[in-house]
Amino acid sequence: MTSINEQPIPAARPVIGEDEIEAAVRVLRSGRVVQGPEVAAFEEGFSRLVDDRHCVAVNSGTSALHLLLLALGIGPGDEVIVPSFSFAASANAVRLVGADVVFADIEPGSFGLDPAAVEAAITPRTAAIMPVHLYGHPAAMDKLMPIADKHKLAVVEDACQAHAAALNGTPVGAFGAGGTFSFYPTKNMHSLEGGMVTTADAELARTLRLLRNQGMEQRYANEIVGANMRMTDVSAAVGRVQLGKVEAWTELRRANAAYLDAHITAPAVTTPPVAEGARHVYHQYTVRISGDRDAAMAKLTEAGIGNAVYYPTPIHRLKPYWEPDQKAGRTWDLPETERAAAEVVSLPVHPSLTEGDLQRIAAAVNSLGENL
Ligand SMILES: Cc1ncc(COP(=O)(O)O)c(C=O)c1O
């Protein structure tokens, strides 16, 4: 039970502080509110997080994925290999460009695409692989990139949950043909809503800039068919404030995770492993629970500990994917995906946790005991 003095600890706590508010008001007063100097400065600043790659700001992480697939020329007739254990946006972007989603299983430790499963899923129609750096842990890019190179496939990184994560010193978003980030309010840094595409290819960056703005570089001189996926300067100004804080916040997340790793001892609970060479940025601190997960979550909620399952239903079981597969008699063999969906629970790890909060989280988890 939560005692009278103990406030519930939320699963996430987005920051909209005085700095963010001042930046937004400054832009509103300036009158330059859409894709102006703030967006350019945000793109310039964000490129420091991705080994100085070109950065193209858009209005959401979903738009970032969508535009990147379009810019790479991926469309009808192509297949893209995607993990089913992700947010639906990863697969939705593939379907939005008219390509087919091919699901591959995940590694149990990183929750990212299993390289052997990816290799087995490649067909003559495969155009791209989409590793998702889920929860802020980098996917096995050291093994996935050579597979992509061998088969001449594009790699589209979904780094929407993984700002400043890295593998063997290379930041996510700097491995593939392109990377994508989300700045939704609960992410490790946000811009109210927003997204970023990153790429080392200047031509691709230009195509992305055209696509987000009706195909125009010069006003009314449309070069290609495009959309309106522009970021506002208000968003970019908020994003710039958060960009200045994300490194310190990341270190706090990592320290909070280290505390929980050291203090969670309940035998039915497995703390998140970190692959060798990986910099996990703990967008989520996700444990596995063996036993009755619903009962465990109810007990945590009763103790005032925010908790959530990301994601209870793998994408291949969601209606827009499940029904066409049923019709076509197509099934997927994804045992680790199914197991993860049944076992995971994310606990609070956000930078505003106090030492007292961390003690309460560990104590509540440990009091779940052995037999759930
Ligand atoms: C893995 C993943 N991909 C894509 C997205 C889409 O980002 P957005 O919500 O900014 O469109 C999200 C964010 O929720 C995500 O977690």
Side-chain angles (χ1 to χ4, degrees):
M1 283 285 234
T2 318
S3 85
I4 291 207
N5 301 322
E6 286 180 336
Q7 295 296 318
I9 303 169
R13 184 175 279 152
V15 177
I16 302 180
E18 283 310 312
D19 295 347
E20 285 80 0
I21 292 167
E22 271 172 31
V25 169
R26 175 172 46 79
V27 172
L28 289 169
R29 289 196 199 288
S30 78
R32 281 291 298 277
V33 292
V34 175
Q35 208 176 276
E38 291 290 335
V39 168
F42 187 31
E43 292 175 336
E44 177 63 28
F46 197 81
S47 72
R48 302 289 94 76
L49 283 196
V50 286
D51 275 358
D52 297 327
R53 282 190 155 203
H54 305 279
C55 289
V56 180
V58 290
N59 57 359
S60 74
T62 308
S63 296
L65 282 167
H66 190 172
L67 277 201
L68 178 54
L69 291 169
L70 281 175
L72 289 168
I74 292 169
D78 293 329
E79 290 176 351
V80 180
I81 299 174
V82 179
S84 177
F85 194 58
S86 181
F87 184 51
S90 311
N92 283 349
V94 175
R95 289 278 290 272
L96 283 170
V97 300
D100 293 325
V101 174
V102 171
F103 292 113
D105 211 358
I106 54 165
E107 301 177 318
S110 69
F111 296 102
L113 276 176
D114 175 349
V118 167
E119 191 136 37
I122 293 170
T123 76
R125 291 211 285 130
T126 309
I129 303 171
M130 185 189 290
V132 179
H133 307 298
L134 201 72
Y135 306 144
H137 188 296
M141 301 309 289
D142 50 341
K143 302 197 181 74
L144 292 167
M145 290 307 297
I147 293 171
D149 289 345
K150 186 168 109 192
H151 295 274
K152 298 191 171 31
L153 305 174
V155 172
V156 170
E157 289 178 72
D158 182 340
C160 284
Q161 299 189 0
H163 318 71
L167 185 64
N168 299 325
T170 301
V172 301
F175 284 95
T180 60
F181 293 82
S182 165
F183 304 120
Y184 183 73
T186 56
K187 295 295 194 272
N188 287 20
M189 58 168 285
H190 75 82
S191 67
L192 308 176
E193 285 265 25
M196 194 73 81
V197 190
T198 63
T199 179
D201 179 339
E203 257 319 292
L204 190 70
R206 181 168 191 275
T207 304
L208 288 160
R209 289 178 201 285
L210 290 173
L211 284 170
R212 77 172 164 185
N213 190 31
Q214 310 290 1
M216 297 186 289
E217 187 175 291
Q218 304 298 329
R219 191 178 284 189
Y220 309 133
N222 305 59
E223 299 176 38
I224 57 174
V225 171
N228 172 4
M229 295 190 185
R230 296 182 296 259
M231 178 180 271
T232 69
D233 264 33
V234 176
S235 277
V238 171
R240 287 179 70 199
V241 170
Q242 297 245 325
L243 184 59
K245 300 177 180 175
V246 73
E247 191 50 44
W249 283 339
T250 300
E251 283 311 319
L252 287 170
R253 284 177 181 274
R254 286 165 53 79
N256 292 345
Y259 181 97
L260 295 174
D261 285 347
H263 291 84
I264 291 178
T265 53
V269 178
T270 307
T271 55
V274 180
E276 212 185 309
R279 183 185 198 226
H280 194 336
V281 296
Y282 294 99
H283 172 56
Q284 299 293 344
Y285 183 86
T286 303
V287 301
R288 286 179 186 262
I289 297 204
S290 58
D292 187 341
R293 181 175 64 178
D294 288 346
M297 291 173 72
K299 283 187 199 161
L300 290 172
T301 303
E302 199 183 328
I305 311 299
N307 60 90
V309 175
Y310 306 107
Y311 297 91
T313 308
I315 303 173
H316 73 282
R317 291 193 176 277
L318 298 173
K319 188 175 169 209
Y321 297 89
W322 184 254
E323 285 188 352
D325 284 342
Q326 291 289 101
K327 234 181 231 164
R330 198 168 31 236
T331 55
W332 307 104
D333 182 28
L334 306 169
E336 289 300 341
T337 297
E338 305 280 8
R339 192 163 74 85
E343 291 182 353
V344 295
V345 176
S346 295
L347 302 170
V349 72
H350 47 84
S352 40
L353 295 177
T354 64
E355 178 143 11
D357 292 336
L358 290 164
Q359 284 167 0
R360 272 178 65 199
I361 296 165
V365 173
N366 290 335
S367 75
L368 294 173
E370 233 169 293
N371 304 307
L372 289 167

